[in-house]
């Protein structure tokens, strides 16, 4: 599902944000991506949805080498991946419903289908009662749930979340992670970047640990052989 | 269709959201297109004038005295082959004399001095009226005949049309240069307004890109916005042009006498208004595409 083969990412000379990463995440798995600030977690996630390009190495998503995807076809990759950000990245002048509907609108679905899918997403995150609220008028925890609902609305195969609980208290953080668990139980691969070790311990999921851009530990076999 | 409706709605909202800058932009586009429209209108009127004028063009060519009849017949035959010609009337020397006497019988005594008719033979040419740009072709045709060895002189009511043609050309060229500069300014203005809109909505664009929107899904509303700005500019320019034509002050007799001859049309022709709207829309489209191209290159 997600494969990194000798991936490097360099922003400045002689300094690697990501250094020789090899990993493979299978369909339906749930991983925490952990490490201190600056370890390379965000960079690794950005490489997955091609916000950044690797300096060296190959990345495969759903058996497709994303290095070879031209710019005008990038939308196809992005439709397979639901992304949740620490700062939510919502449109605050729109309603909860409108925010969640965005991935469905860009796919050109009919109104009736959009209504149904948004309703399903709202149910999953427990926000049916906030459907018509302007997003700026709801709490931080609810906003993050809207962001998650938007990420799953388009039926992605992978959900990646970059510090989704970074701005939330412990209780809300647990709530949010439970939602991710529910999503994972539906067969969607989940990869969450976090430096909150308490949460990691609480949820007992597999962990990929980064330190200064290098893979320190992971339950995955390194150095897979790739066929291109 | 849904995308078009939504884009139109977004475009209108965006224009109303940034009122000051968008209205300034509209003002400049309207002024540009108004200038274009004025030159277009004047050129068009001059074209109509010269076209109408060509309906009344007649030319009389007088042959030299020593020209043989065979040569005259050959010349007439050549002239008749031209598609511009409606009618060629030949008047021999004797016919010219008879015509003179019928008009001025009291001057009969003058002709008693002459054995032969003192009047040269001539041909009177009437031109067809159907073709456009007829005057230019006619002028060229007349000049060709005049160069013939057997022609002594001509009598043509075409000098005035020549002057009008020069004025028409001058106005056209001035209009094109001035309009070119103003069009460039308009493109530049819309380019920057759209750029500002893109920056203002950068967050939204980023989200759309992250959820898998195609480039065209993101670009389309901005393109519509640019085209709408251009179209609105064209509409305003059209309305102003109509008002301006109705309000031209008549304080100068000399200018007005000329204008009265040239400005045959009271109403603005629909094609000038359509040209204004089309130019406006195209300016808007081009500017938006240029602005978006730079943004999406990254």
């Amino acid at each position: 599902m997600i494969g990194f083969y000798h991936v490097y990412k360099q922003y400045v000379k002689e300094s690697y944000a990501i250094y020789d990463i090899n990993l493979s995440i299978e369909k339906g798995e749930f991983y925490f991506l952990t490490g201190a600030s600056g370890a390379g977690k965000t960079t690794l996630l950005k490489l997955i949805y091609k916000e950044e390009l690797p300096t060296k190495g190959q990345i495969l998503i759903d058996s497709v080498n994303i290095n070879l995807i031209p710019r005008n076809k990038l939308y196809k990759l992005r439709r397979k991946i639901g992304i949740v950000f620490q700062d939510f990245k919502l449109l605050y002048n729109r309603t909860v419903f409108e925010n969640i509907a965005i991935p469905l609108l860009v796919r050109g679905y009919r109104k009736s289908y959009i209504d149904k899918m948004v309703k399903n997403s709202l149910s999953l995150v427990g926000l049916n009662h906030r459907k018509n609220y302007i997003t700026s008028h709801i709490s931080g925890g609810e906003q993050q749930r809207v962001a998650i609902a938007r990420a799953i609305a388009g039926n992605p195969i992978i959900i990646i979340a970059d510090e989704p609980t970074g701005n939330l208290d412990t209780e809300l953080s647990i709530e949010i992670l439970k939602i991710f668990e529910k999503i994972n139980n539906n067969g969607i691969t989940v990869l969450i970047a976090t430096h909150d070790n308490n949460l990691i311990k609480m949820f007992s999921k597999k962990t990929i640990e980064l330190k200064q851009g290098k893979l320190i530990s992971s339950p995955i076999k390194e150095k897979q052989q790739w066929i291109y | 269709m849904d995308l078009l409706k939504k884009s139109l709605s977004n475009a209108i909202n965006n224009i109303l959201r940034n009122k000051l800058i968008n209205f300034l932009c509209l003002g400049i586009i309207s002024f540009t297109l108004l200038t274009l429209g004025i030159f277009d209108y004047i050129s068009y009127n001059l074209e109509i004038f010269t076209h109408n004028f060509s309906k009344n063009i007649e030319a009389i060519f007088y042959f030299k005295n020593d020209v043989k009849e065979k040569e005259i017949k050959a010349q007439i035959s050549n002239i008749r082959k031209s598609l511009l010609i409606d009618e060629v009337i030949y008047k021999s020397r004797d016919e010219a004399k008879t015509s003179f006497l019928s008009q001025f019988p009291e001057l009969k005594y003058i002709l008693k001095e002459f054995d032969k008719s003192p009047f040269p033979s001539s041909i009177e040419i009437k031109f067809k009226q159907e073709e456009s740009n007829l005057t230019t072709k006619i002028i060229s045709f007349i000049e060709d005949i005049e160069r013939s060895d057997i022609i002594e002189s001509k009598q043509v009511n075409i000098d005035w049309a020549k002057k009008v043609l020069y004025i028409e050309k001058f106005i056209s060229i001035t209009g094109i240069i001035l309009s070119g500069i103003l069009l460039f300014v308009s493109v530049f203005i819309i380019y920057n307004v759209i750029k500002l809109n893109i920056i203002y909505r950068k967050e939204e664009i980023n989200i759309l890109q992250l959820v898998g929107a195609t480039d065209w899904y993101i670009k389309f509303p901005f393109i519509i916005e640019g085209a709408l700005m251009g179209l609105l500019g064209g509409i305003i320019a059209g309305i102003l042009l109509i008002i301006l034509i109705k309000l031209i002050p008549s304080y100068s007799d000399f200018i007005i006498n000329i204008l009265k001859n040239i400005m045959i049309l009271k109403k603005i022709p629909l094609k000038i208004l359509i040209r204004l709207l089309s130019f406006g829309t195209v300016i808007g489209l081009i500017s938006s595409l240029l602005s978006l191209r730079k943004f999406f290159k990254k």
Side-chain angles (χ1 to χ4, degrees):
Chain A
M1 178 65 50
I2 303 173
F4 277 56
Y5 178 61
H6 292 299
V7 175
Y8 296 74
K9 176 64 186 175
Q10 199 175 16
Y11 286 113
V12 292
K13 216 177 170 183
E14 288 164 13
S15 171
Y16 285 89
I18 293 285
Y19 190 91
D20 197 18
I21 299 285
N22 292 277
L23 58 84
S24 167
I25 299 172
E26 298 304 321
K27 184 174 160 49
E29 293 195 302
F30 190 131
Y31 276 92
F32 283 117
L33 177 62
T34 187
S37 290
K41 303 188 296 295
T42 300
T43 304
L44 192 140
L45 293 182
K46 282 184 174 179
L47 290 169
I48 291 173
Y49 60 90
K50 215 176 169 181
E51 181 79 356
E52 297 285 350
L53 293 170
T55 311
K56 260 195 294 187
Q58 310 291 331
I59 301 170
L60 264 70
I61 305 292
D62 198 21
S63 309
V64 174
N65 185 345
I66 67 170
N67 291 0
L68 302 175
I69 297 175
R71 208 216 161 283
N72 62 346
K73 300 286 182 211
L74 192 54
Y75 71 92
K76 289 186 181 180
L77 169 70
R78 299 254 171 104
R79 287 183 185 185
K80 292 183 185 178
I81 305 171
I83 311 166
V84 182
F85 297 92
Q86 184 177 0
D87 60 353
F88 319 141
K89 284 206 192 313
L90 299 171
L91 297 174
Y92 294 100
N93 58 351
R94 308 242 183 122
T95 64
V96 165
F97 185 99
E98 285 166 347
N99 269 281
I100 297 169
I102 292 172
L104 303 162
L105 284 167
V106 306
R107 286 158 170 81
Y109 291 145
R110 280 200 317 267
K111 190 180 178 302
S112 54
Y113 183 75
I114 292 174
D115 285 348
K116 182 178 135 195
M117 295 304 288
V118 171
K119 215 175 161 182
N120 289 344
S121 297
L122 281 167
S123 298
L124 189 72
V125 301
L127 277 179
N128 273 317
H129 60 296
R130 297 286 197 217
K131 184 170 84 167
N132 295 319
Y133 278 63
I134 298 293
T135 317
S136 58
H137 296 171
I138 59 178
S139 69
E142 287 171 331
Q143 286 176 357
Q144 189 59 291
R145 283 193 272 167
V146 172
I148 296 169
R150 184 185 66 193
I152 57 168
N155 273 335
I157 57 175
I158 300 165
I159 292 282
I160 58 177
D162 191 0
E163 306 277 2
T165 59
N167 291 337
L168 307 174
D169 60 38
T170 312
E171 203 180 314
L172 280 171
S173 299
I174 294 168
E175 244 182 78
I176 295 297
L177 282 175
K178 281 183 178 169
I179 294 171
F180 280 116
E181 258 190 335
K182 244 197 274 182
I183 291 167
N184 180 239
N185 291 339
N186 289 336
I188 298 173
T189 307
V190 174
L191 178 61
I192 300 176
T194 181
H195 59 263
D196 191 335
N197 289 322
N198 292 328
L199 277 177
I200 294 168
K201 281 178 192 160
M202 209 179 293
F203 280 85
S204 308
K205 300 291 179 189
K206 293 178 199 172
T207 309
I208 300 165
E209 190 179 349
L210 295 180
K211 187 177 181 182
Q212 291 177 345
K214 292 178 186 170
L215 196 61
I216 300 302
S217 73
S218 110
I220 310 151
K221 249 190 186 168
E222 290 185 22
K223 292 181 185 171
Q224 302 279 339
Q225 295 297 314
W226 302 105
I227 300 165
Y228 301 105
Chain B
M1 201 61 195
D2 278 343
L3 181 60
L4 180 62
K5 276 188 208 166
K6 199 163 181 253
S7 300
L8 264 169
S9 165
N10 280 340
I12 293 166
N13 285 336
N14 284 334
I15 289 171
L16 292 172
R17 191 188 299 134
N18 303 311
K19 284 194 190 79
L20 179 62
I21 193 157
N22 284 321
F23 286 168
L24 272 171
C25 181
L26 266 174
I28 291 169
I29 298 164
S30 304
F31 177 73
T32 302
L33 292 170
L34 179 64
T35 309
L36 202 71
I38 289 168
F39 278 99
D40 206 2
Y41 181 70
I42 294 172
S43 291
Y44 186 72
N45 275 276
L46 286 171
E47 209 179 293
I48 299 282
F49 172 74
T50 52
H51 178 70
N52 287 341
F53 187 82
S54 70
K55 290 180 188 173
N56 301 314
I57 296 176
E58 288 174 356
I60 302 173
F61 291 93
Y62 298 100
F63 293 103
K64 289 179 179 167
N65 286 333
D66 56 351
V67 169
K68 292 180 185 140
E69 205 173 307
K70 206 167 59 172
E71 285 172 305
I72 294 173
K73 279 184 179 168
Q75 179 71 298
I76 293 171
S77 171
N78 269 339
I79 290 168
R80 281 206 170 111
K81 284 177 192 169
S82 171
L83 297 170
L84 295 169
I85 304 301
D86 187 30
E87 200 181 354
V88 180
I89 303 166
Y90 171 66
K91 208 181 251 184
S92 67
R93 295 178 73 169
D94 290 333
E95 282 168 339
K97 181 182 169 184
T98 310
S99 174
F100 175 81
L101 286 171
S102 67
Q103 286 177 50
F104 308 104
E106 66 280 9
L107 299 175
K108 192 177 174 180
Y109 69 94
I110 296 172
L111 297 178
K112 277 185 182 164
E113 304 292 320
F114 298 95
D115 298 328
K116 286 183 188 177
S117 164
F119 301 102
S121 53
S122 64
I123 46 169
E124 187 181 331
I125 300 174
K126 290 183 181 172
F127 294 91
K128 282 184 186 168
Q129 299 162 16
E130 300 96 21
E131 293 179 40
S132 60
N133 293 326
L134 200 56
T135 309
T136 324
K137 288 179 187 172
I138 289 172
I139 291 171
S140 175
F141 183 77
I142 289 169
E143 283 167 357
D144 281 341
I145 299 175
E146 202 184 355
R147 278 192 281 271
S148 168
D149 293 334
I150 62 172
I151 299 294
E152 178 68 48
S153 63
K154 74 175 192 299
Q155 188 181 317
V156 181
N157 60 343
I158 208 158
D159 289 336
W160 175 245
K162 266 187 183 174
K163 283 175 186 161
V164 171
L165 276 174
Y166 287 136
I167 295 170
E168 190 195 337
K169 229 178 220 172
F170 175 74
I171 288 172
S172 273
I173 292 167
T174 309
I176 288 167
I177 293 170
L178 194 60
S179 301
I181 295 167
L182 290 171
L183 279 169
F184 174 77
V185 169
S186 295
V187 166
F188 182 72
I189 297 282
I190 297 182
Y191 169 88
N192 279 291
V193 167
I194 299 294
K195 201 172 160 186
L196 279 171
N197 280 332
I198 291 169
I199 291 166
Y200 180 78
R201 291 165 63 185
K202 205 174 173 183
E203 188 68 30
E204 186 181 340
I205 292 169
N206 187 233
I207 290 168
L208 287 171
Q209 286 174 323
L210 289 169
V211 300
T214 59
D215 281 354
W216 273 108
Y217 185 91
I218 299 168
K219 284 181 193 176
F220 195 66
F222 292 102
I223 291 169
I224 295 295
E225 192 175 327
L228 186 63
M229 291 267 273
L231 179 65
L232 284 172
I235 290 171
I236 294 167
I239 292 169
L240 287 173
L241 187 62
I242 291 169
I243 294 169
L244 194 69
I245 297 305
K246 285 192 190 296
L247 291 178
I248 287 176
S250 51
Y251 53 80
S252 170
D253 285 346
F254 177 70
I255 293 170
I256 290 305
N257 281 335
I258 294 172
L259 287 176
K260 271 182 184 168
N261 286 325
I262 294 170
M263 297 294 184
I264 294 150
L265 303 172
K266 300 292 175 205
K267 289 182 192 167
I268 310 247
L270 185 65
K271 70 177 185 184
I272 287 179
L273 294 172
I274 291 170
R275 266 205 284 262
L276 280 177
L277 299 183
S278 310
F279 268 130
T281 309
V282 167
I283 291 167
L285 273 167
I286 291 169
S287 308
S288 303
L289 284 167
L290 284 171
S291 201
L292 287 163
R293 197 167 159 247
K294 208 180 168 191
F295 180 81
F296 279 84
K297 246 185 182 173
K298 296 178 200 168

